[in-house]
Amino acid sequence: MKYRTLGRTGLSVSEVGFGCGNVGGMIVRGSHPEQVEAVNRALELGINYFDTAPAYGQGLSETHLGQVMKEIKPDIMVATKVGLGSDDMKDIKGAVQSSLETSLDRLGLDSVDVLQLHTPVTMEHGEAGGRWGLSLKDVLGENGVADAFRSVREQGMVRFLGFTGLGETEALHQLIESDRFDVVQAYFNLLNPSAGLAVPSDFAGQDFRQLISLAAGRNMGVVVIRVMAGGALGGDIARSGYASPSVGGALSAGAEYSRDEARTARLDFLVAGDLDSLPQAAVRFALTHQGVSTVLVGYSSLAQIEEAAACSDKDPIPESARERLTGLWATDFGI
C-alpha cells in the first residue's frame, strides 16, 4: 500500500480507503465476526482511512465500526459526517453538536479525525439531484455550518473539517475557495471524470469543473467518492452479498443508475493486460490524479478489499485506453 498526504491536515492516508456505507454494505449488514475479519484484513493490506456517517444504515455503520474498534483497537483514521435538513436551520450549531455527540457515542471515541458536511450545497436554497440543499450562505454565513464546525473543533471533538462535494458546482468551488475546510469528498469516476479532467461544454453529466485540482491547489485533502458509480462499474456481482440490492437517486446530474449501467457496457475494452476487472480500472483511474489523497471503496466481501488494495501498487491505466475514454466522454458513451 502506498500513502499520500491528506492536504493541509498532514495525515498520511492509504491510497485506498474503507467506505463503511450502505452500497458496499459490509459494515452496515455484515455479522460482527465478518466485520472484524474485514477490518483486520484491511489493516493487513495497509488501509488506514475509514469513512462512515450517521446516515449509513441509520446509525448502524457508526455503531458497528465502533464495536469493531472496541474489540481490536486498530490504529486508524476515522471520518464521519453531519447531515442537515430544513428543520435544522433554526439552530445549525445545536444540530451539528448533537449529531457529532451521537456519532462519537456510537463510535466509542472522544473525537474523530475528520468531520464532513453531508448535505448538498447550492447557491440558494433548492434541490440538487432531487435532494434538498443548503445554500452557500447557510454554510459560510454568520452562525452557519462553518462556524458550527469550528466550534466542535475548538472543543476537541474533531481534528479537521470537510464537506461532501455534491450540489451546484459553483457553490462547491466557492466553498473550496473560502478556505474554511480542510478536506473535500470529490465525485470522480470513469463515467464522470469532470472533477479531475476537463470535459466538453456539452458533457452529459454534471461538470464539476476540475474541482480536484482547485482543492489540491489550496492544499486541501481530496477523498474520492463513488469511484464505482454506486456499483454500476461492478456489474451484477456488486449487488450481491452484503451490498445494497438497489441504489437510490443519482448524487449528481445525469448519473442515474440505469444510465450508468448502459455507459458501463461500453467499457469492456479496459479489461486487458494486467487489468482484470472494471473495478480495478476504476480505482487505478482515480489514483492517476495526483491531487487525489485517497479513494474510498465500499466492500461487501474480503475479496473486494484485496482487489481494491492491490490497485495501489499498480501503474495507471494505459494511455491508449485514456484516449478511448476521452471519445466516450465526448459522446455520452453513444447512448
Side-chain angles (χ1 to χ4, degrees):
M1 179 65 64
K2 295 180 180 178
Y3 298 83
R4 300 186 184 186
T5 302
L6 189 66
R8 67 174 72 111
T9 73
L11 298 175
S12 179
V13 296
S14 50
E15 286 191 329
V16 176
F18 198 122
C20 301
N22 191 55
V23 176
M26 172 61 75
I27 302 300
V28 174
R29 287 177 289 277
S31 69
H32 179 69
E34 289 171 316
Q35 291 166 353
V36 169
E37 185 181 21
V39 172
N40 272 326
R41 185 59 182 141
L43 294 172
E44 292 170 354
L45 294 168
I47 294 173
N48 69 359
Y49 190 85
F50 288 68
D51 178 88
T52 183
Y56 299 158
Q58 296 182 318
L60 287 177
S61 175
E62 291 179 325
T63 298
H64 292 163
L65 182 60
Q67 291 168 347
V68 172
M69 290 191 293
K70 182 178 180 180
E71 179 169 336
I72 68 177
K73 298 177 173 56
D75 183 14
I76 61 175
M77 281 159 274
V78 177
T80 193
K81 306 179 185 75
V82 170
L84 298 173
S86 57
D87 291 343
D88 297 317
M89 295 301 96
K90 300 173 184 177
D91 182 12
I92 292 175
K93 182 178 180 180
V96 168
Q97 181 92 20
S98 176
S99 177
L100 181 54
E101 287 175 351
T102 301
S103 292
L104 292 175
D105 183 61
R106 291 182 182 133
L107 290 164
L109 297 173
D110 295 324
S111 67
V112 289
D113 295 285
V114 183
L115 177 68
Q116 298 150 130
L117 175 64
H118 202 200
T119 307
V121 181
T122 54
M123 294 300 293
E124 304 291 340
H125 283 297
E127 288 194 352
R131 303 168 65 199
W132 182 81
L134 292 167
S135 72
L136 193 63
K137 184 178 180 181
D138 291 332
V139 181
L140 298 180
E142 185 176 359
N143 297 319
V145 175
D147 285 348
F149 274 28
R150 181 181 61 191
S151 175
V152 292
R153 178 162 62 181
E154 289 173 346
Q155 295 173 60
M157 300 170 70
V158 59
R159 297 175 66 189
F160 302 106
L161 309 175
F163 68 94
T164 300
L166 296 172
E168 292 179 357
T169 299
E170 179 58 29
L172 302 178
H173 279 232
Q174 290 195 32
L175 285 185
I176 290 170
E177 292 168 344
S178 74
D179 289 326
R180 300 290 301 274
F181 299 92
D182 308 302
V183 177
V184 60
Q185 290 195 316
Y187 188 104
F188 183 48
N189 58 47
L190 285 166
L191 306 182
N192 185 341
S194 65
L197 302 171
V199 294
S201 59
D202 59 350
F203 180 68
Q206 180 173 354
D207 185 357
F208 289 98
R209 294 182 3 227
Q210 301 182 75
L211 178 152
I212 293 173
S213 296
L214 178 66
R218 302 187 83 91
N219 202 22
M220 289 181 69
V222 177
V223 177
V224 169
I225 59 172
R226 287 295 170 118
V227 68
M228 302 297 175
L233 288 165
D236 291 341
I237 194 170
R239 302 268 61 81
S240 63
Y242 290 118
S244 174
S246 62
V247 177
L251 294 187
S252 68
E256 295 78 12
Y257 191 78
S258 59
R259 290 184 65 82
D260 278 351
E261 282 188 309
R263 294 175 178 117
T264 297
R266 303 295 304 277
L267 296 178
D268 288 347
F269 68 91
L270 290 174
V271 184
D274 68 343
L275 281 165
D276 298 324
S277 67
L278 280 180
Q280 287 181 20
V283 176
R284 286 167 63 175
F285 168 75
L287 287 171
T288 301
H289 198 301
Q290 291 306 300
V292 168
S293 307
T294 186
V295 177
L296 289 180
V297 182
Y299 309 108
S300 58
S301 69
L302 291 180
Q304 290 177 357
I305 298 173
E306 292 165 358
E307 181 178 35
C311 294
S312 175
D313 198 31
K314 302 291 186 180
D315 294 328
I317 63 175
E319 184 59 35
S320 58
R322 282 280 301 274
E323 291 175 357
R324 289 188 66 175
L325 284 169
T326 300
L328 290 172
W329 295 329
T331 61
D332 193 19
F333 294 79
I335 63 173

